[in-house]
């Protein structure tokens, strides 16, 4: 029988709640208190050295509206949250736009991103990108093919600098199989597959890792998942899923959740879902029989966007649609593999970030924590200080970390 528990502040993941299951790992910790901002620089270590654990950081959607381009340097966007990226061995993001350098940058409803904008994210420390979502074909088939060219160029440039960056989710021909990445880091092999259930238009869907949401298509995809894992033995199988569900709501439908659980049973270790542009719950699944912890992130909101154009400073509860799109979740997860092959989540830590509009009207990222609030009071920008205080409470109250024992 499945058991569900709600995790509270600074609790240990597997504690006294299940005394009848002594095999449950008591060392894993989920930290749900927003961490204080740290200013000490922490660089990523040599990924060629084997070790028993790996730290992954799962983020949300990287978007580019017109206002995001109006900044003196794209590196400024990530300057104050780069520390979190440097702490991880691999950082994952969803790139919510084509990158077609033959066309000018464009905003909603037909996005197109510049190469320099994407390069700034890579330079900041994002390593693994999903390229498939509802905006992938905003610039039609040619936009997809140009995105492949641009990302290959960035891959080559990064390799010449002694680093690695990964892109997948789109294809060079309609006959090609789904694209995915095999990532080796610190002696661990990770299989990363991104797919989307949603496209805003039917153009060139065969060039995208696209799956329909009917029962037959989902069952076929589950079988594909089993076969893909069998062909690619790995320590972790991570699935990026851009979901066909309503935006701007924290609701999780029972049908969508059942699909996630079916994918977990088929061999996926991590489901990293996005599309809602709002932060949702997270769930750790502890399988005491197979001794493999699994993880579902229902949505991590936005990394950066221009959707928070008019923060609701006057509301005592500023949780409107556009206010929510200004916050994002960095979910930091430490996986540990022992000598017997068990894969456990040693620690999971939610780190909230927020989009701040500075006095130059530039959209930049800041940690959503008390240190930032204190800074705003000192500047002073009292309207922003009170607004961010309220946003901290909204995110802490509205999203949760859950555990399910199997």
């Amino acid at each position: 029988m499945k058991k569900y528990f709600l995790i509270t502040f600074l609790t240990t993941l597997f504690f006294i709640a299940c005394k009848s299951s002594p095999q449950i790992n008591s060392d894993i910790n989920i930290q749900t208190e927003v961490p204080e901002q740290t200013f000490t620089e922490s660089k990523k270590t040599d990924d060629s050295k084997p070790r028993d654990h790996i730290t992954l950081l799962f983020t949300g959607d990287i978007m580019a509206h017109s206002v995001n381009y109006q900044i003196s340097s794209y590196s400024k966007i990530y300057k104050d949250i780069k520390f979190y990226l440097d702490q991880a061995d691999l950082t994952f993001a969803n790139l919510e736009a084509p990158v077609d350098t033959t066309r000018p940058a464009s905003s909603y409803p037909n996005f197109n991103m510049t190469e320099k904008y994407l390069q700034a994210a890579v330079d900041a420390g994002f390593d693994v990108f999903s390229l498939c979502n509802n905006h992938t074909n905003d610039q039609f088939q040619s936009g997809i093919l140009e995105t492949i060219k641009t990302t290959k160029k960035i891959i080559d440039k990064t390799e010449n600098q002694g680093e690695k960056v990964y892109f997948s989710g789109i294809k060079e021909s309609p006959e090609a199989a789904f694209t995915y990445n095999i990532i080796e880091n610190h002696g661990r092999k990770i299989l990363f597959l991104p797919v989307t259930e949603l496209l805003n238009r039917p153009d060139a869907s065969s060039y995208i890792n696209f799956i329909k949401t009917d029962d037959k298509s989902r069952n076929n995809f589950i079988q594909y998942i089993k076969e893909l894992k069998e062909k690619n033995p790995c320590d972790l199988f991570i699935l990026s899923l851009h979901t066909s569900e309503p935006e701007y709501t924290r609701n999780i439908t029972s049908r969508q959740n059942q699909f996630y659980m079916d994918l977990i049973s088929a061999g996926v270790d991590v489901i990293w879902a996005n599309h809602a542009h709002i932060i949702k719950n997270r769930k750790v699944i502890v399988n005491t029989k197979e001794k493999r912890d699994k993880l579902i992130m229902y949505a991590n909101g936005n990394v950066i966007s221009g959707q928070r154009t008019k923060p609701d400073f006057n509301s005592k509860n500023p949780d409107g649609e556009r206010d929510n799109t200004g916050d994002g979740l960095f979910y930091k997860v430490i996986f540990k593999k022992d000598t017997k092959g068990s894969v456990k989540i040693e620690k999971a830590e939610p780190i909230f970030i927020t989009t701040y509009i500075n006095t130059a009207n530039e959209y930049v990222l800041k940690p959503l924590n008390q240190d930032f609030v204190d800074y705003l009071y000192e500047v002073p920008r009292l309207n922003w200080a009170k607004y961010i205080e309220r946003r901290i409470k909204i995110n802490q109250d509205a999203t949760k970390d859950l555990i399910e024992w199997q």
Side-chain angles (χ1 to χ4, degrees):
M1 180 178 179
K2 298 177 180 177
K3 303 178 182 178
Y4 298 82
F5 295 86
L6 172 64
I7 307 171
T8 55
F9 283 175
L10 295 175
T11 55
T12 304
L13 184 72
F14 308 118
F15 59 126
I16 57 175
C18 195
K19 294 181 180 178
S20 61
S21 301
Q23 68 270 45
I24 291 178
N25 186 339
S26 61
D27 298 326
I28 301 176
N29 179 62
I30 286 189
Q31 180 178 328
T32 59
E33 183 177 16
V34 179
E36 294 299 314
Q37 184 177 6
T38 307
F39 296 95
T40 305
E41 192 73 10
S42 176
K43 298 294 183 183
K44 296 178 183 178
T45 56
D46 182 1
D47 63 10
S48 65
K49 296 180 179 179
R51 49 179 165 79
D52 63 356
H53 67 278
I54 188 170
T55 302
L56 306 181
L57 190 68
F58 297 94
T59 68
D61 301 327
I62 294 178
M63 307 186 74
H65 294 82
S66 297
V67 293
N68 298 116
Y69 294 116
Q70 299 168 15
I71 189 169
S72 58
S73 171
Y74 295 143
S75 63
K76 290 176 66 175
I77 295 172
Y78 305 103
K79 179 185 175 193
D80 292 325
I81 55 86
K82 187 178 185 303
F83 168 78
Y84 298 124
L85 310 184
D86 289 335
Q87 288 181 318
D89 295 309
L90 293 168
T91 297
F92 295 73
N94 170 56
L95 195 67
E96 190 116 349
V99 191
D100 183 350
T101 60
T102 68
R103 291 183 170 97
S106 59
S107 184
Y108 181 85
N110 296 312
F111 288 103
N112 188 44
M113 196 175 289
T114 69
E115 180 182 340
K116 289 183 178 179
Y117 193 86
L118 171 55
Q119 185 65 56
V122 172
D123 293 342
F126 291 92
D127 305 289
V128 187
F129 295 86
S130 167
L131 297 176
C132 56
N133 48 72
N134 57 308
H135 288 287
T136 297
N137 57 350
D138 277 5
Q139 302 301 325
F140 314 103
Q141 175 184 327
S142 60
I144 294 172
L145 297 178
E146 288 299 325
T147 299
I148 292 174
K149 291 180 183 178
T150 304
T151 53
K152 283 183 176 180
K153 179 181 175 182
I154 291 176
I155 289 170
D156 291 342
K157 178 181 177 181
T158 307
E159 286 185 350
N160 289 336
Q161 296 170 343
E163 301 287 341
K164 291 184 179 180
V165 64
Y166 304 88
F167 299 92
S168 57
I170 53 180
K171 309 183 293 178
E172 292 184 294
S173 71
E175 297 82 16
F178 281 0
T179 58
Y180 54 87
N181 299 114
I182 301 294
I183 304 168
E184 296 193 19
N185 189 286
H186 289 296
R188 298 288 166 249
K189 182 176 288 187
I190 297 171
L191 171 59
F192 174 67
L193 170 69
V195 298
T196 182
E197 301 179 311
L198 181 66
L199 295 174
N200 290 346
R201 59 198 314 157
D203 308 77
S205 61
S206 57
Y207 287 79
I208 303 168
N209 286 10
F210 170 61
I211 57 171
K212 296 180 180 179
T213 58
D214 60 274
D215 290 342
K216 181 179 179 181
S217 297
R218 284 188 166 181
N219 289 334
N220 288 340
F221 181 66
I222 288 170
Q223 183 60 37
Y224 170 78
I225 288 292
K226 294 177 181 177
E227 294 172 359
L228 184 64
K229 186 169 184 179
E230 185 177 350
K231 294 176 182 177
N232 299 277
C234 56
D235 297 296
L236 286 173
F237 186 173
I238 299 173
L239 175 68
S240 169
L241 187 63
H242 207 81
T243 63
S244 178
E245 56 183 348
E247 297 174 297
Y248 316 119
T249 172
R250 301 188 201 274
N251 181 53
I252 302 165
T253 66
S254 58
R255 182 172 185 267
Q256 195 73 11
N257 186 63
Q258 184 58 56
F259 182 42
Y260 296 160
M261 296 305 296
D262 291 341
L263 290 166
I264 291 290
S265 297
V268 174
D269 296 299
V270 176
I271 293 177
W272 168 48
N274 274 300
H275 173 60
H277 304 300
I278 188 173
I279 303 168
K280 298 189 182 186
N281 292 343
R282 291 75 59 187
K283 179 166 68 174
V284 172
I285 302 161
V286 184
N287 189 313
T288 58
K289 183 178 180 179
E290 296 182 3
K291 299 188 183 303
R292 289 185 71 90
D293 294 342
K294 306 294 183 86
L295 172 65
I296 299 174
M297 292 162 283
Y298 292 94
N300 288 7
N302 290 333
V303 176
I304 184 67
S305 76
Q307 292 178 288
R308 178 190 273 172
T309 53
K310 296 180 180 178
D312 191 356
F313 295 130
N314 297 322
S315 175
K316 292 183 179 180
N317 184 34
D319 66 344
E321 181 177 293
R322 296 304 172 186
D323 295 286
N324 287 330
T325 62
D327 296 337
L329 175 71
F330 286 0
Y331 206 56
K332 179 181 175 182
V333 189
I334 301 175
F335 290 90
K336 185 173 183 178
K337 183 177 181 180
D338 63 21
T339 55
K340 296 181 180 179
S342 297
V343 177
K344 297 292 182 180
I345 296 176
E346 192 172 57
K347 184 178 181 181
E349 177 185 350
I351 302 166
F352 296 102
I353 62 164
T354 195
T355 298
Y356 170 61
I357 307 173
N358 65 20
T359 54
N361 203 39
E362 297 173 328
Y363 286 59
V364 297
L365 296 175
K366 300 285 185 178
L368 189 61
N369 62 19
Q370 189 60 43
D371 281 354
F372 182 44
V373 172
D374 293 343
Y375 162 79
L376 290 169
Y377 275 116
E378 290 173 4
V379 175
R381 294 194 83 186
L382 301 184
N383 56 348
W384 270 101
K386 294 175 182 179
Y387 177 76
I388 294 299
E389 280 184 321
R390 293 165 183 155
R391 290 303 309 171
I392 290 174
K393 185 176 187 331
I394 287 168
N395 282 291
Q396 288 180 341
D397 292 348
T399 69
K400 301 175 178 65
D401 293 271
L402 307 168
I403 311 174
E404 176 180 322
W405 274 273
Q406 293 183 336

